[in-house]
């Protein structure tokens, strides 16, 4: 083990030149903290706002369907003169599902705040993505099954002799259709939320 | 201009170079290991896609061929039932067929994620399109399920009679198709979660 020595010649320059021409040795661009943290924080804020909007959409859907009762001013001996969401099991499922989704969204707000405060943490985002995917599927199931029943109520089915009840219960049908539309809006919000979480999880 | 000279002692070069190359190797092994578990995820993703293709093609074709003709007839009720008697079942067949063809088209992207486990763009594309297709599948499966439920149970409040009591085979076949589509929904949720974990940075 012998020590090696080397001699390096450092050319001395005039003091003014040394002061002025300090070489900029690559301004270290901080890729790991502030740069990507900034846009991810923006995504998290957008995520939080979308969650608030989705809470409104889901609770409006549940509430509209829940209060969609209609009582006709007349009656016949064959047909019922009252219609409510609890006459159709699919609509009952819809109300329960949309309420659960509103509750889930409320409970997920703290996690969203955590991703705003710590934009680079992956565990909260991954948890939110997985739960949002499941909630989105659940939401879509409730919305589309209620839409199928609503379509049937509007149009009936001649092959199975199912009569369209909307011709008697116009208000009921309108309110349930509005609830279904609001639920589909909530599904769109969920899709955007899932894609946002996926983009924010991206590595650099 | 006066030249300045300085003397730098470079001590023990052989061990220094050994340790730096060792660090380099460690770093390379770590990168390959990170890529390793992501490659495993991509392979699992590919296999799940193949399984989902099988199930969605099965669901669509089972619903398509769900016909039944009763050996008798009355003057009120139809004596034939097929998927095209229900607009919801028509939507089901078309939507699940679209989902099956999407899955076939997404197989090359899945292979790309196997070959390049650390690439971000293919996984992100798969995540976004899987999310959209998940909603389509869930929508078709849930709508068909609600009609199947109605056909089984009927509804006394709206005077909708349960037709499964006459068309037992048709109802059974339709229910099987709906169950298969629901299983494919579970597969899609798993695919999305796999893509998300594969996207994760370290």
């Amino acid at each position: 083990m012998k020590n090696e020595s080397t001699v390096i010649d450092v050319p001395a320059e005039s003091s003014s030149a040394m002061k002025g021409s300090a070489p900029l040795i690559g301004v270290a661009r901080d890729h790991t903290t502030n740069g990507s943290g900034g846009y991810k924080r923006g995504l998290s804020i957008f995520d939080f706002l979308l969650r608030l909007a989705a809470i409104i959409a889901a609770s409006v859907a549940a509430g509209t369907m829940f209060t969609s009762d209609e009582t006709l001013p007349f009656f016949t001996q064959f047909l019922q003169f009252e219609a409510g969401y609890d006459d159709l099991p699919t609509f009952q499922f819809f109300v329960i599902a949309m309420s659960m989704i509103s509750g889930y969204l409320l409970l997920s707000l703290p996690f969203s705040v955590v991703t705003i405060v710590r934009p680079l943490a992956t565990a909260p985002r991954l948890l939110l993505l997985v739960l949002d995917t499941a909630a989105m599927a659940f939401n879509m199931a409730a919305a589309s099954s209620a839409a199928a029943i609503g379509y049937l109520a509007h149009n009936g089915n001649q092959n199975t002799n199912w009569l369209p009840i909307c011709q008697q219960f116009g208000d009921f049908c309108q309110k349930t259709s509005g609830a279904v539309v609001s639920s589909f809006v909530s599904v769109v919000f969920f899709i955007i939320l899932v894609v946002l979480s996926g983009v924010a999880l991206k590595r650099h | 201009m006066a030249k300045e000279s300085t003397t730098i002692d470079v001590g023990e070069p052989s061990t220094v170079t050994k340790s730096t190359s060792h660090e380099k190797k460690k770093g390379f092994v770590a990168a390959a290991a990170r890529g390793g578990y992501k490659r495993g995820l991509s392979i699992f993703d590919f296999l799940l896609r193949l399984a989902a293709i099988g199930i969605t093609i099965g669901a669509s074709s089972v619903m398509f061929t769900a016909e039944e003709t009763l050996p008798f007839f009355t003057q009120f009720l139809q004596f034939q039932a097929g998927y095209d008697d229900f607009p919801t079942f028509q939507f089901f067949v078309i939507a699940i067929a679209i989902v099956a063809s999407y899955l076939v088209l997404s197989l090359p992207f899945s292979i790309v994620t196997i070959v390049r486990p650390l690439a971000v763009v293919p996984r992100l594309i798969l995540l976004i399109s899987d999310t959209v297709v998940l909603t389509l599948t869930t929508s078709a499966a849930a709508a068909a399920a609600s009609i199947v439920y109605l056909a089984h149970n009927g509804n006394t409040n709206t005077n909708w009679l349960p037709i499964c009591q006459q068309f037992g085979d048709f109802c059974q076949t339709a229910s099987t198709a709906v169950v298969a589509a629901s299983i494919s929904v579970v597969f899609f949720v798993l695919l999305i979660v796999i893509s998300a974990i594969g996207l994760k940075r370290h």
Side-chain angles (χ1 to χ4, degrees):
Chain A
M1 253 174 294
K2 67 182 175 98
N3 273 356
E4 293 185 357
S5 299
T6 179
V7 174
I8 294 179
D9 282 327
V10 178
E13 294 176 355
S14 63
S15 55
S16 60
M18 269 174 73
K19 269 189 214 159
S21 65
L24 281 177
I25 304 176
V27 174
R29 286 208 50 208
D30 210 356
H31 281 279
T32 55
T33 55
N34 284 331
S36 58
Y39 101 84
K40 285 190 180 184
R41 179 165 280 159
L43 284 180
S44 298
I45 293 175
F46 188 41
D47 172 293
F48 184 76
L49 296 174
L50 267 181
R51 249 169 240 282
L52 291 178
I55 290 174
I56 294 175
S59 44
V60 160
T64 311
M65 181 67 84
F66 187 73
T67 59
S68 61
D69 297 45
E70 186 180 0
T71 310
L72 294 180
F74 59 89
F75 60 93
T76 74
Q77 58 186 132
F78 295 123
L79 291 176
Q80 182 137 355
F81 52 95
E82 255 187 345
Y85 82 97
D86 48 357
D87 292 329
L88 290 148
T90 308
F91 287 167
Q92 283 173 328
F93 167 63
F94 180 85
V95 170
I96 295 172
M98 294 318 293
S99 316
M100 284 171 65
I101 290 192
S102 309
Y104 156 74
L105 281 169
L106 271 173
L107 289 175
S108 72
L109 281 178
F111 289 92
S112 187
V113 169
V114 165
T115 62
I116 295 179
V117 168
R118 293 259 176 271
L120 295 171
T122 58
R125 277 196 214 274
L126 193 58
L127 179 70
L128 277 184
L129 187 132
V130 172
L131 292 177
D132 280 348
T133 308
M136 177 184 74
F138 194 44
N139 192 347
M140 193 61 177
S144 50
S145 56
I149 298 297
Y151 175 85
L152 199 58
H154 272 101
N155 300 55
N157 191 311
Q158 287 175 333
N159 300 306
T160 53
N161 215 25
W162 291 340
L163 301 171
I165 66 164
C166 281
Q167 295 174 356
Q168 277 89 29
F169 298 98
D171 276 350
F172 171 69
C173 275
Q174 246 186 353
K175 283 193 189 167
T176 55
S177 307
V180 167
V181 165
S182 176
S183 175
F184 276 118
V185 166
S186 150
V187 167
V188 169
F189 286 160
F190 265 114
I191 294 178
I192 302 177
L193 280 173
V194 167
V195 170
L196 264 183
S197 294
V199 168
L201 271 177
K202 219 160 51 105
R203 57 186 285 280
H204 282 279
Chain B
M1 252 186 288
K3 276 198 180 161
E4 292 180 358
S5 298
T6 176
T7 304
I8 294 178
D9 276 328
V10 181
E12 310 196 352
S14 52
T15 54
V16 166
T17 49
K18 255 194 221 159
S19 67
T20 50
S21 74
H22 183 247
E23 277 164 10
K24 276 191 204 157
K25 276 189 205 146
K26 247 175 55 177
F28 177 73
V29 164
R34 274 206 310 274
Y37 99 84
K38 287 193 178 185
R39 179 164 281 158
L41 279 181
S42 300
I43 293 175
F44 186 42
D45 173 291
F46 184 75
L47 295 175
L48 263 183
R49 254 171 234 283
L50 289 179
I53 288 176
I55 284 193
T56 48
I57 291 182
S60 185
S61 51
V62 160
M63 181 65 90
F64 187 73
T65 58
E67 297 183 51
E68 187 178 358
T69 307
L70 296 180
F72 58 89
F73 60 94
T74 76
Q75 58 186 133
F76 294 120
L77 290 175
Q78 183 137 356
F79 53 94
Q80 256 188 345
Y83 86 97
D84 47 358
D85 292 328
F86 298 89
T88 308
F89 288 168
Q90 284 173 329
F91 167 62
F92 179 87
V93 169
I94 296 173
I96 302 295
I98 290 176
V99 166
S101 51
Y102 157 78
L103 280 170
V104 169
L105 289 175
S106 73
L107 280 178
F109 288 91
S110 186
I111 293 176
V112 165
T113 63
I114 295 179
V115 168
R116 295 255 176 273
L118 297 172
V120 158
V121 172
R123 276 194 214 273
L124 196 56
I125 291 177
L126 278 182
L127 183 104
I128 295 176
S129 43
D130 278 347
T131 308
V132 172
V133 170
L134 169 71
T135 57
L136 185 63
T137 312
T138 314
S139 163
S146 70
I147 298 296
V148 163
Y149 175 85
L150 197 59
H152 271 103
N153 299 54
N155 192 307
T156 48
N157 299 305
T158 52
N159 215 26
W160 290 338
L161 301 171
I163 65 163
C164 281
Q165 294 173 358
Q166 277 92 29
F167 298 98
D169 277 349
F170 171 70
C171 273
Q172 245 185 353
T173 320
S175 309
T176 312
V178 168
V179 166
S182 309
I183 294 176
S184 79
V185 165
V186 172
F187 282 178
F188 270 110
V189 171
L190 281 174
L191 282 173
I192 290 177
V193 170
I194 289 174
S195 293
I197 295 178
L199 272 177
K200 219 160 55 94
R201 58 183 285 279
H202 283 275

